[in-house]
Amino acid sequence: MTWGLKYTLMNKEIVLITGASRGIGARLALEFASSGYFVIINFLKEDEKASEVLKKIKAQGAEAQTVKADISDPVQVRNMVRDIVKSRGRIDVLVNNAGITKNRTIAKMSETEWDDVIRTDLSAVFYLTRECSKIMIKNKSGSIINISSIIGLRGQFGTGNYSSAKAGVISLTKSSAKELGRFKVRVNAVLPGYHLTDMGQNSTKDYLDKVKQESVLSETTDIDELSRFIVFLSKIKTVSGQVFNWDSRVI
């Protein structure tokens, strides 16, 4: 590698995307890479899928790396952020995308089903925001984008754990924005709507029909439009503490 190319790569903005081996995360990784970012692809279990995303990014002439870490573990989060900063120098954008569902009615939900979803969908957002914001505060710049859900505002039958976690993400977004704004660090949330990724495809046809009926356009979210918007949002310097509902279901 020539010095000039190495200098260019080391001066690319760094984006860390959690849960980037599939679904929205994988699409975001490709979009950020095509927009000139160096992409950190965080994943936990899906080694092959993470490798596929990495290959696609490299095939388009962009740069990325995969990082395996359980983001529900604060120690692993701390170590991951430390290692990224040690090798890349900084983190410019954090996208808290990873999430799981373990749907069950409240009366039948186990403590494990509650705890697992809260740890992955809410606590992990706190751990990552805490660690990455320390770096961004030093640099007096940064963007944190939290992927929440319209369900966090409306609630939904059988999703008490997921709804609660996503509502918490929205509140955490607003509190973080107020705390970090003085350091020029922006924090926003996006409600991505329903889309036919792995998680969405696990839903029933009745649920898909209901989503379309509730949409004023009778459409589901376009994941390409969503990913372009999130990259655009990461670049905006004067917007923070906002919640963007990226579909046409009226709240």
Side-chain angles (χ1 to χ4, degrees):
M1 181 184 295
T2 65
W3 183 89
L5 179 56
K6 182 178 181 180
Y7 178 83
T8 299
L9 294 179
M10 290 300 292
N11 281 273
K12 285 187 174 183
E13 289 200 342
I14 312 300
V15 57
L16 167 60
I17 307 172
T18 65
S21 62
R22 61 187 178 91
I24 291 177
R27 184 65 191 84
L28 285 174
L30 293 169
E31 190 67 33
F32 272 99
S34 66
S35 299
Y37 288 79
F38 185 98
V39 181
I40 310 292
I41 302 164
N42 162 255
F43 72 102
L44 177 57
K45 297 178 180 178
E46 298 173 318
D47 300 68
E48 291 185 5
K49 288 189 176 182
S51 296
E52 289 175 7
V53 175
L54 181 62
K55 288 179 182 177
K56 289 179 180 178
I57 289 174
K58 290 187 174 181
Q60 66 184 30
E63 288 290 321
Q65 71 180 76
T66 58
V67 177
K68 188 172 185 176
D70 181 356
I71 60 168
S72 70
D73 180 348
V75 175
Q76 292 193 41
V77 168
R78 190 176 301 116
N79 291 340
M80 175 177 65
V81 171
R82 179 201 63 200
D83 291 344
I84 292 170
V85 173
K86 184 177 180 180
S87 63
R88 301 303 310 176
R90 65 190 191 278
I91 296 173
D92 300 292
V93 179
L94 165 65
V95 182
N96 283 308
N97 165 75
I100 62 171
T101 58
K102 293 189 176 183
N103 295 347
R104 201 176 301 278
T105 58
I106 294 295
K108 296 180 179 179
M109 186 177 293
S110 69
E111 290 88 350
T112 298
E113 289 169 332
W114 172 268
D115 290 341
D116 286 350
V117 172
I118 295 297
R119 280 203 315 270
T120 300
D121 294 13
L122 177 57
S123 296
V125 176
F126 162 66
Y127 300 147
L128 282 148
T129 299
R130 179 179 62 183
E131 299 306 320
C132 290
S133 66
K134 294 174 184 177
I135 309 304
M136 295 175 178
I137 287 170
K138 289 180 180 178
N139 293 334
K140 297 292 189 295
S141 178
S143 175
I144 299 172
I145 299 174
N146 297 324
I147 305 302
S148 184
S149 171
I150 193 174
I151 295 173
L153 296 176
R154 304 189 341 172
Q156 182 169 285
F157 184 92
T159 66
N161 48 6
Y162 183 77
S163 301
S164 299
K166 292 303 185 180
V169 167
I170 291 171
S171 292
L172 180 58
T173 296
K174 294 179 179 181
S175 295
S176 301
K178 289 182 177 181
E179 292 181 10
L180 298 174
R182 56 190 168 146
F183 303 107
K184 305 304 180 184
V185 177
R186 295 95 63 202
V187 190
N188 293 288
V190 176
L191 318 182
Y194 182 92
H195 36 80
L196 296 175
T197 57
D198 294 349
M199 186 180 292
Q201 288 174 349
N202 289 331
S203 302
T204 64
K205 182 179 183 300
D206 287 343
Y207 182 70
L208 173 59
D209 291 341
K210 181 182 178 182
V211 170
K212 288 185 176 181
Q213 288 171 4
E214 291 178 345
S215 166
V216 297
L217 298 174
S218 300
E219 297 285 353
T220 58
T221 300
D222 184 311
I223 196 167
D224 290 333
E225 289 183 348
L226 172 67
S227 60
R228 288 195 294 269
F229 171 73
I230 290 174
V231 172
F232 173 74
L233 180 60
S234 74
K235 298 175 183 291
I236 300 295
K237 303 296 185 183
T238 57
V239 174
S240 191
Q242 304 306 304
V243 180
F244 297 90
N245 182 28
W246 200 249
D247 69 18
S248 296
R249 287 177 285 179
V250 178
I251 300 173

mmCIF file of all heavy atoms in Angstrom, residues 76-117:
data_model
loop_
_atom_site.group_PDB
_atom_site.id
_atom_site.type_symbol
_atom_site.label_atom_id
_atom_site.label_comp_id
_atom_site.label_asym_id
_atom_site.label_seq_id
_atom_site.Cartn_x
_atom_site.Cartn_y
_atom_site.Cartn_z
ATOM 1 N N GLN A 76 -17.489 -6.408 26.840
ATOM 2 C CA GLN A 76 -17.183 -6.612 25.422
ATOM 3 C C GLN A 76 -17.353 -5.329 24.620
ATOM 4 O O GLN A 76 -16.580 -5.065 23.692
ATOM 5 C CB GLN A 76 -18.066 -7.725 24.847
ATOM 6 C CG GLN A 76 -17.746 -9.105 25.391
ATOM 7 C CD GLN A 76 -18.396 -10.215 24.603
ATOM 8 O OE1 GLN A 76 -18.440 -10.184 23.371
ATOM 9 N NE2 GLN A 76 -18.903 -11.224 25.303
ATOM 10 N N VAL A 77 -18.339 -4.525 24.984
ATOM 11 C CA VAL A 77 -18.522 -3.232 24.308
ATOM 12 C C VAL A 77 -17.321 -2.339 24.547
ATOM 13 O O VAL A 77 -16.764 -1.731 23.619
ATOM 14 C CB VAL A 77 -19.812 -2.540 24.800
ATOM 15 C CG1 VAL A 77 -19.847 -1.087 24.316
ATOM 16 C CG2 VAL A 77 -21.036 -3.284 24.307
ATOM 17 N N ARG A 78 -16.883 -2.263 25.787
ATOM 18 C CA ARG A 78 -15.729 -1.426 26.133
ATOM 19 C C ARG A 78 -14.488 -1.880 25.380
ATOM 20 O O ARG A 78 -13.742 -1.051 24.828
ATOM 21 C CB ARG A 78 -15.490 -1.484 27.647
ATOM 22 C CG ARG A 78 -14.472 -0.466 28.153
ATOM 23 C CD ARG A 78 -14.357 -0.521 29.671
ATOM 24 N NE ARG A 78 -15.633 -0.243 30.313
ATOM 25 C CZ ARG A 78 -16.308 -1.118 31.054
ATOM 26 N NH1 ARG A 78 -15.833 -2.335 31.262
ATOM 27 N NH2 ARG A 78 -17.457 -0.789 31.606
ATOM 28 N N ASN A 79 -14.266 -3.176 25.319
ATOM 29 C CA ASN A 79 -13.093 -3.710 24.630
ATOM 30 C C ASN A 79 -13.174 -3.467 23.125
ATOM 31 O O ASN A 79 -12.170 -3.141 22.481
ATOM 32 C CB ASN A 79 -12.946 -5.202 24.911
ATOM 33 C CG ASN A 79 -12.558 -5.491 26.358
ATOM 34 O OD1 ASN A 79 -12.047 -4.612 27.056
ATOM 35 N ND2 ASN A 79 -12.803 -6.704 26.805
ATOM 36 N N MET A 80 -14.368 -3.619 22.555
ATOM 37 C CA MET A 80 -14.540 -3.403 21.120
ATOM 38 C C MET A 80 -14.232 -1.957 20.745
ATOM 39 O O MET A 80 -13.487 -1.694 19.787
ATOM 40 C CB MET A 80 -15.970 -3.750 20.698
ATOM 41 C CG MET A 80 -16.274 -3.437 19.231
ATOM 42 S SD MET A 80 -17.947 -3.927 18.708
ATOM 43 C CE MET A 80 -18.963 -2.835 19.707
ATOM 44 N N VAL A 81 -14.800 -1.021 21.495
ATOM 45 C CA VAL A 81 -14.567 0.404 21.204
ATOM 46 C C VAL A 81 -13.093 0.745 21.385
ATOM 47 O O VAL A 81 -12.499 1.455 20.565
ATOM 48 C CB VAL A 81 -15.460 1.279 22.098
ATOM 49 C CG1 VAL A 81 -15.079 2.750 21.966
ATOM 50 C CG2 VAL A 81 -16.926 1.078 21.736
ATOM 51 N N ARG A 82 -12.493 0.236 22.437
ATOM 52 C CA ARG A 82 -11.058 0.472 22.677
ATOM 53 C C ARG A 82 -10.218 -0.019 21.512
ATOM 54 O O ARG A 82 -9.318 0.689 21.027
ATOM 55 C CB ARG A 82 -10.632 -0.235 23.958
ATOM 56 C CG ARG A 82 -9.148 -0.084 24.305
ATOM 57 C CD ARG A 82 -8.708 -1.188 25.240
ATOM 58 N NE ARG A 82 -8.847 -2.501 24.601
ATOM 59 C CZ ARG A 82 -8.910 -3.653 25.267
ATOM 60 N NH1 ARG A 82 -8.873 -3.663 26.594
ATOM 61 N NH2 ARG A 82 -9.031 -4.805 24.606
ATOM 62 N N ASP A 83 -10.503 -1.219 21.016
ATOM 63 C CA ASP A 83 -9.721 -1.792 19.927
ATOM 64 C C ASP A 83 -9.916 -1.019 18.620
ATOM 65 O O ASP A 83 -8.967 -0.844 17.837
ATOM 66 C CB ASP A 83 -10.094 -3.261 19.719
ATOM 67 C CG ASP A 83 -9.646 -4.153 20.881
ATOM 68 O OD1 ASP A 83 -8.801 -3.694 21.680
ATOM 69 O OD2 ASP A 83 -10.155 -5.280 20.984
ATOM 70 N N ILE A 84 -11.154 -0.564 18.379
ATOM 71 C CA ILE A 84 -11.412 0.220 17.163
ATOM 72 C C ILE A 84 -10.628 1.523 17.198
ATOM 73 O O ILE A 84 -9.986 1.915 16.213
ATOM 74 C CB ILE A 84 -12.925 0.496 17.003
ATOM 75 C CG1 ILE A 84 -13.678 -0.802 16.700
ATOM 76 C CG2 ILE A 84 -13.162 1.517 15.881
ATOM 77 C CD1 ILE A 84 -15.182 -0.652 16.759
ATOM 78 N N VAL A 85 -10.683 2.199 18.322
ATOM 79 C CA VAL A 85 -9.977 3.482 18.452
ATOM 80 C C VAL A 85 -8.467 3.257 18.360
ATOM 81 O O VAL A 85 -7.736 4.065 17.762
ATOM 82 C CB VAL A 85 -10.361 4.173 19.766
ATOM 83 C CG1 VAL A 85 -9.507 5.420 19.992
ATOM 84 C CG2 VAL A 85 -11.835 4.540 19.752
ATOM 85 N N LYS A 86 -7.998 2.156 18.912
ATOM 86 C CA LYS A 86 -6.563 1.866 18.850
ATOM 87 C C LYS A 86 -6.100 1.648 17.411
ATOM 88 O O LYS A 86 -5.021 2.100 17.016
ATOM 89 C CB LYS A 86 -6.246 0.628 19.688
ATOM 90 C CG LYS A 86 -4.766 0.301 19.779
ATOM 91 C CD LYS A 86 -4.524 -0.890 20.688
ATOM 92 C CE LYS A 86 -3.033 -1.222 20.778
ATOM 93 N NZ LYS A 86 -2.784 -2.389 21.673
ATOM 94 N N SER A 87 -6.930 0.974 16.608
ATOM 95 C CA SER A 87 -6.522 0.656 15.231
ATOM 96 C C SER A 87 -6.897 1.742 14.230
ATOM 97 O O SER A 87 -6.172 1.977 13.265
ATOM 98 C CB SER A 87 -7.147 -0.668 14.789
ATOM 99 O OG SER A 87 -8.561 -0.577 14.768
ATOM 100 N N ARG A 88 -8.032 2.435 14.461
ATOM 101 C CA ARG A 88 -8.513 3.407 13.478
ATOM 102 C C ARG A 88 -8.398 4.860 13.950
ATOM 103 O O ARG A 88 -8.567 5.773 13.162
ATOM 104 C CB ARG A 88 -9.984 3.127 13.125
ATOM 105 C CG ARG A 88 -10.253 1.754 12.554
ATOM 106 C CD ARG A 88 -9.452 1.437 11.321
ATOM 107 N NE ARG A 88 -9.533 2.492 10.325
ATOM 108 C CZ ARG A 88 -8.846 2.484 9.182
ATOM 109 N NH1 ARG A 88 -8.021 1.492 8.910
ATOM 110 N NH2 ARG A 88 -8.975 3.454 8.316
ATOM 111 N N GLY A 89 -8.180 5.065 15.250
ATOM 112 C CA GLY A 89 -7.968 6.420 15.757
ATOM 113 C C GLY A 89 -9.193 7.102 16.321
ATOM 114 O O GLY A 89 -9.078 7.989 17.168
ATOM 115 N N ARG A 90 -10.387 6.699 15.894
ATOM 116 C CA ARG A 90 -11.600 7.381 16.346
ATOM 117 C C ARG A 90 -12.836 6.614 15.873
ATOM 118 O O ARG A 90 -12.730 5.667 15.094
ATOM 119 C CB ARG A 90 -11.652 8.806 15.792
ATOM 120 C CG ARG A 90 -11.770 8.859 14.284
ATOM 121 C CD ARG A 90 -11.588 10.256 13.755
ATOM 122 N NE ARG A 90 -11.954 10.341 12.338
ATOM 123 C CZ ARG A 90 -11.143 9.986 11.344
ATOM 124 N NH1 ARG A 90 -9.922 9.534 11.616
ATOM 125 N NH2 ARG A 90 -11.516 10.093 10.095
ATOM 126 N N ILE A 91 -13.999 7.064 16.322
ATOM 127 C CA ILE A 91 -15.293 6.625 15.800
ATOM 128 C C ILE A 91 -16.097 7.886 15.545
ATOM 129 O O ILE A 91 -16.334 8.676 16.461
ATOM 130 C CB ILE A 91 -16.032 5.697 16.792
ATOM 131 C CG1 ILE A 91 -15.244 4.393 16.990
ATOM 132 C CG2 ILE A 91 -17.439 5.382 16.285
ATOM 133 C CD1 ILE A 91 -15.813 3.497 18.075
ATOM 134 N N ASP A 92 -16.504 8.093 14.305
ATOM 135 C CA ASP A 92 -17.217 9.313 13.931
ATOM 136 C C ASP A 92 -18.727 9.149 13.982
ATOM 137 O O ASP A 92 -19.448 10.093 14.307
ATOM 138 C CB ASP A 92 -16.811 9.747 12.524
ATOM 139 C CG ASP A 92 -15.322 10.034 12.427
ATOM 140 O OD1 ASP A 92 -14.872 11.017 13.037
ATOM 141 O OD2 ASP A 92 -14.604 9.243 11.777
ATOM 142 N N VAL A 93 -19.188 7.949 13.638
ATOM 143 C CA VAL A 93 -20.627 7.677 13.598
ATOM 144 C C VAL A 93 -20.899 6.338 14.269
ATOM 145 O O VAL A 93 -20.195 5.356 14.002
ATOM 146 C CB VAL A 93 -21.162 7.646 12.146
ATOM 147 C CG1 VAL A 93 -22.662 7.342 12.127
ATOM 148 C CG2 VAL A 93 -20.882 8.962 11.427
ATOM 149 N N LEU A 94 -21.902 6.315 15.114
ATOM 150 C CA LEU A 94 -22.369 5.077 15.730
ATOM 151 C C LEU A 94 -23.820 4.867 15.323
ATOM 152 O O LEU A 94 -24.650 5.766 15.504
ATOM 153 C CB LEU A 94 -22.268 5.159 17.255
ATOM 154 C CG LEU A 94 -23.038 4.094 18.051
ATOM 155 C CD1 LEU A 94 -22.471 2.696 17.793
ATOM 156 C CD2 LEU A 94 -23.037 4.425 19.539
ATOM 157 N N VAL A 95 -24.114 3.702 14.782
ATOM 158 C CA VAL A 95 -25.495 3.338 14.479
ATOM 159 C C VAL A 95 -25.877 2.155 15.366
ATOM 160 O O VAL A 95 -25.388 1.041 15.172
ATOM 161 C CB VAL A 95 -25.700 2.981 12.995
ATOM 162 C CG1 VAL A 95 -27.173 2.649 12.738
ATOM 163 C CG2 VAL A 95 -25.247 4.119 12.087
ATOM 164 N N ASN A 96 -26.726 2.423 16.347
ATOM 165 C CA ASN A 96 -27.220 1.370 17.237
ATOM 166 C C ASN A 96 -28.399 0.683 16.568
ATOM 167 O O ASN A 96 -29.556 1.090 16.722
ATOM 168 C CB ASN A 96 -27.636 1.976 18.586
ATOM 169 C CG ASN A 96 -26.453 2.297 19.464
ATOM 170 O OD1 ASN A 96 -25.601 1.458 19.702
ATOM 171 N ND2 ASN A 96 -26.394 3.535 19.953
ATOM 172 N N ASN A 97 -28.091 -0.359 15.819
ATOM 173 C CA ASN A 97 -29.087 -1.027 14.998
ATOM 174 C C ASN A 97 -29.507 -2.389 15.531
ATOM 175 O O ASN A 97 -30.638 -2.813 15.326
ATOM 176 C CB ASN A 97 -28.533 -1.188 13.572
ATOM 177 C CG ASN A 97 -29.341 -2.175 12.756
ATOM 178 O OD1 ASN A 97 -30.442 -1.871 12.303
ATOM 179 N ND2 ASN A 97 -28.799 -3.376 12.568
ATOM 180 N N ALA A 98 -28.620 -3.101 16.210
ATOM 181 C CA ALA A 98 -28.892 -4.483 16.611
ATOM 182 C C ALA A 98 -30.144 -4.582 17.477
ATOM 183 O O ALA A 98 -30.404 -3.735 18.332
ATOM 184 C CB ALA A 98 -27.692 -5.053 17.369
ATOM 185 N N GLY A 99 -30.909 -5.628 17.226
ATOM 186 C CA GLY A 99 -32.105 -5.838 18.027
ATOM 187 C C GLY A 99 -32.625 -7.252 17.870
ATOM 188 O O GLY A 99 -32.371 -7.912 16.869
ATOM 189 N N ILE A 100 -33.344 -7.712 18.886
ATOM 190 C CA ILE A 100 -33.957 -9.032 18.837
ATOM 191 C C ILE A 100 -35.402 -8.920 19.300
ATOM 192 O O ILE A 100 -35.795 -7.923 19.916
ATOM 193 C CB ILE A 100 -33.210 -10.053 19.729
ATOM 194 C CG1 ILE A 100 -33.257 -9.625 21.206
ATOM 195 C CG2 ILE A 100 -31.781 -10.234 19.256
ATOM 196 C CD1 ILE A 100 -32.731 -10.674 22.162
ATOM 197 N N THR A 101 -36.194 -9.927 18.995
ATOM 198 C CA THR A 101 -37.560 -10.028 19.494
ATOM 199 C C THR A 101 -37.763 -11.403 20.111
ATOM 200 O O THR A 101 -37.222 -12.393 19.618
ATOM 201 C CB THR A 101 -38.596 -9.821 18.380
ATOM 202 O OG1 THR A 101 -38.382 -10.806 17.350
ATOM 203 C CG2 THR A 101 -38.493 -8.434 17.775
ATOM 204 N N LYS A 102 -38.505 -11.431 21.181
ATOM 205 C CA LYS A 102 -38.956 -12.682 21.796
ATOM 206 C C LYS A 102 -40.386 -12.437 22.260
ATOM 207 O O LYS A 102 -40.648 -12.173 23.429
ATOM 208 C CB LYS A 102 -38.043 -13.090 22.956
ATOM 209 C CG LYS A 102 -36.640 -13.485 22.511
ATOM 210 C CD LYS A 102 -35.809 -14.091 23.637
ATOM 211 C CE LYS A 102 -34.451 -14.552 23.112
ATOM 212 N NZ LYS A 102 -33.627 -15.210 24.176
ATOM 213 N N ASN A 103 -41.295 -12.495 21.287
ATOM 214 C CA ASN A 103 -42.669 -12.075 21.519
ATOM 215 C C ASN A 103 -43.459 -13.086 22.352
ATOM 216 O O ASN A 103 -43.392 -14.294 22.115
ATOM 217 C CB ASN A 103 -43.379 -11.843 20.185
ATOM 218 C CG ASN A 103 -42.780 -10.701 19.393
ATOM 219 O OD1 ASN A 103 -41.986 -9.924 19.909
ATOM 220 N ND2 ASN A 103 -43.158 -10.599 18.131
ATOM 221 N N ARG A 104 -44.193 -12.560 23.301
ATOM 222 C CA ARG A 104 -45.096 -13.356 24.126
ATOM 223 C C ARG A 104 -45.943 -12.388 24.950
ATOM 224 O O ARG A 104 -45.497 -11.278 25.265
ATOM 225 C CB ARG A 104 -44.312 -14.293 25.044
ATOM 226 C CG ARG A 104 -45.128 -15.489 25.545
ATOM 227 C CD ARG A 104 -44.263 -16.428 26.367
ATOM 228 N NE ARG A 104 -43.130 -16.951 25.650
ATOM 229 C CZ ARG A 104 -43.165 -17.982 24.812
ATOM 230 N NH1 ARG A 104 -44.309 -18.584 24.569
ATOM 231 N NH2 ARG A 104 -42.066 -18.414 24.221
ATOM 232 N N THR A 105 -47.130 -12.781 25.287
ATOM 233 C CA THR A 105 -47.957 -11.914 26.120
ATOM 234 C C THR A 105 -47.338 -11.775 27.510
ATOM 235 O O THR A 105 -46.590 -12.653 27.959
ATOM 236 C CB THR A 105 -49.388 -12.473 26.261
ATOM 237 O OG1 THR A 105 -49.329 -13.785 26.823
ATOM 238 C CG2 THR A 105 -50.088 -12.513 24.900
ATOM 239 N N ILE A 106 -47.656 -10.675 28.169
ATOM 240 C CA ILE A 106 -47.070 -10.385 29.480
ATOM 241 C C ILE A 106 -47.306 -11.531 30.468
ATOM 242 O O ILE A 106 -46.401 -11.928 31.208
ATOM 243 C CB ILE A 106 -47.658 -9.078 30.051
ATOM 244 C CG1 ILE A 106 -47.241 -7.875 29.182
ATOM 245 C CG2 ILE A 106 -47.220 -8.864 31.497
ATOM 246 C CD1 ILE A 106 -45.761 -7.603 29.178
ATOM 247 N N ALA A 107 -48.506 -12.084 30.470
ATOM 248 C CA ALA A 107 -48.841 -13.130 31.434
ATOM 249 C C ALA A 107 -47.999 -14.391 31.241
ATOM 250 O O ALA A 107 -47.772 -15.142 32.194
ATOM 251 C CB ALA A 107 -50.327 -13.478 31.329
ATOM 252 N N LYS A 108 -47.519 -14.603 30.021
ATOM 253 C CA LYS A 108 -46.769 -15.822 29.725
ATOM 254 C C LYS A 108 -45.275 -15.576 29.522
ATOM 255 O O LYS A 108 -44.506 -16.531 29.384
ATOM 256 C CB LYS A 108 -47.337 -16.487 28.459
ATOM 257 C CG LYS A 108 -48.777 -16.959 28.618
ATOM 258 C CD LYS A 108 -49.285 -17.603 27.333
ATOM 259 C CE LYS A 108 -50.726 -18.087 27.501
ATOM 260 N NZ LYS A 108 -51.237 -18.698 26.246
ATOM 261 N N MET A 109 -44.857 -14.325 29.507
ATOM 262 C CA MET A 109 -43.459 -13.998 29.228
ATOM 263 C C MET A 109 -42.567 -14.382 30.404
ATOM 264 O O MET A 109 -42.861 -14.055 31.554
ATOM 265 C CB MET A 109 -43.308 -12.506 28.918
ATOM 266 C CG MET A 109 -41.904 -12.090 28.480
ATOM 267 S SD MET A 109 -41.834 -10.331 28.045
ATOM 268 C CE MET A 109 -42.872 -10.298 26.572
ATOM 269 N N SER A 110 -41.442 -15.047 30.105
ATOM 270 C CA SER A 110 -40.501 -15.427 31.156
ATOM 271 C C SER A 110 -39.563 -14.275 31.474
ATOM 272 O O SER A 110 -39.414 -13.332 30.688
ATOM 273 C CB SER A 110 -39.687 -16.646 30.717
ATOM 274 O OG SER A 110 -38.803 -16.295 29.662
ATOM 275 N N GLU A 111 -38.913 -14.366 32.628
ATOM 276 C CA GLU A 111 -37.920 -13.355 32.992
ATOM 277 C C GLU A 111 -36.784 -13.321 31.980
ATOM 278 O O GLU A 111 -36.266 -12.246 31.640
ATOM 279 C CB GLU A 111 -37.350 -13.632 34.390
ATOM 280 C CG GLU A 111 -38.319 -13.400 35.526
ATOM 281 C CD GLU A 111 -39.163 -14.628 35.843
ATOM 282 O OE1 GLU A 111 -39.122 -15.606 35.057
ATOM 283 O OE2 GLU A 111 -39.855 -14.607 36.877
ATOM 284 N N THR A 112 -36.398 -14.483 31.472
ATOM 285 C CA THR A 112 -35.314 -14.552 30.484
ATOM 286 C C THR A 112 -35.706 -13.853 29.193
ATOM 287 O O THR A 112 -34.905 -13.110 28.610
ATOM 288 C CB THR A 112 -34.945 -16.017 30.192
ATOM 289 O OG1 THR A 112 -34.483 -16.627 31.398
ATOM 290 C CG2 THR A 112 -33.849 -16.099 29.134
ATOM 291 N N GLU A 113 -36.938 -14.059 28.740
ATOM 292 C CA GLU A 113 -37.404 -13.402 27.509
ATOM 293 C C GLU A 113 -37.435 -11.884 27.690
ATOM 294 O O GLU A 113 -37.108 -11.137 26.758
ATOM 295 C CB GLU A 113 -38.785 -13.931 27.133
ATOM 296 C CG GLU A 113 -38.761 -15.366 26.623
ATOM 297 C CD GLU A 113 -40.129 -15.986 26.509
ATOM 298 O OE1 GLU A 113 -41.042 -15.591 27.264
ATOM 299 O OE2 GLU A 113 -40.293 -16.885 25.667
ATOM 300 N N TRP A 114 -37.837 -11.443 28.858
ATOM 301 C CA TRP A 114 -37.824 -10.001 29.142
ATOM 302 C C TRP A 114 -36.391 -9.470 29.177
ATOM 303 O O TRP A 114 -36.046 -8.505 28.496
ATOM 304 C CB TRP A 114 -38.525 -9.722 30.468
ATOM 305 C CG TRP A 114 -38.383 -8.308 30.932
ATOM 306 C CD1 TRP A 114 -37.416 -7.799 31.755
ATOM 307 C CD2 TRP A 114 -39.216 -7.197 30.574
ATOM 308 N NE1 TRP A 114 -37.595 -6.450 31.950
ATOM 309 C CE2 TRP A 114 -38.695 -6.054 31.239
ATOM 310 C CE3 TRP A 114 -40.353 -7.058 29.778
ATOM 311 C CZ2 TRP A 114 -39.282 -4.799 31.119
ATOM 312 C CZ3 TRP A 114 -40.924 -5.797 29.656
ATOM 313 C CH2 TRP A 114 -40.395 -4.687 30.317
ATOM 314 N N ASP A 115 -35.549 -10.106 29.974
ATOM 315 C CA ASP A 115 -34.186 -9.618 30.181
ATOM 316 C C ASP A 115 -33.367 -9.629 28.894
ATOM 317 O O ASP A 115 -32.599 -8.689 28.632
ATOM 318 C CB ASP A 115 -33.476 -10.466 31.243
ATOM 319 C CG ASP A 115 -34.034 -10.247 32.642
ATOM 320 O OD1 ASP A 115 -34.699 -9.217 32.853
ATOM 321 O OD2 ASP A 115 -33.804 -11.107 33.511
ATOM 322 N N ASP A 116 -33.491 -10.680 28.092
ATOM 323 C CA ASP A 116 -32.694 -10.784 26.865
ATOM 324 C C ASP A 116 -32.988 -9.634 25.915
ATOM 325 O O ASP A 116 -32.071 -9.041 25.328
ATOM 326 C CB ASP A 116 -32.956 -12.116 26.159
ATOM 327 C CG ASP A 116 -32.318 -13.300 26.864
ATOM 328 O OD1 ASP A 116 -31.516 -13.073 27.795
ATOM 329 O OD2 ASP A 116 -32.622 -14.451 26.483
ATOM 330 N N VAL A 117 -34.262 -9.322 25.751
ATOM 331 C CA VAL A 117 -34.637 -8.245 24.827
ATOM 332 C C VAL A 117 -34.232 -6.887 25.384
ATOM 333 O O VAL A 117 -33.697 -6.046 24.650
ATOM 334 C CB VAL A 117 -36.155 -8.293 24.522
ATOM 335 C CG1 VAL A 117 -36.584 -7.063 23.718
ATOM 336 C CG2 VAL A 117 -36.496 -9.568 23.753
#
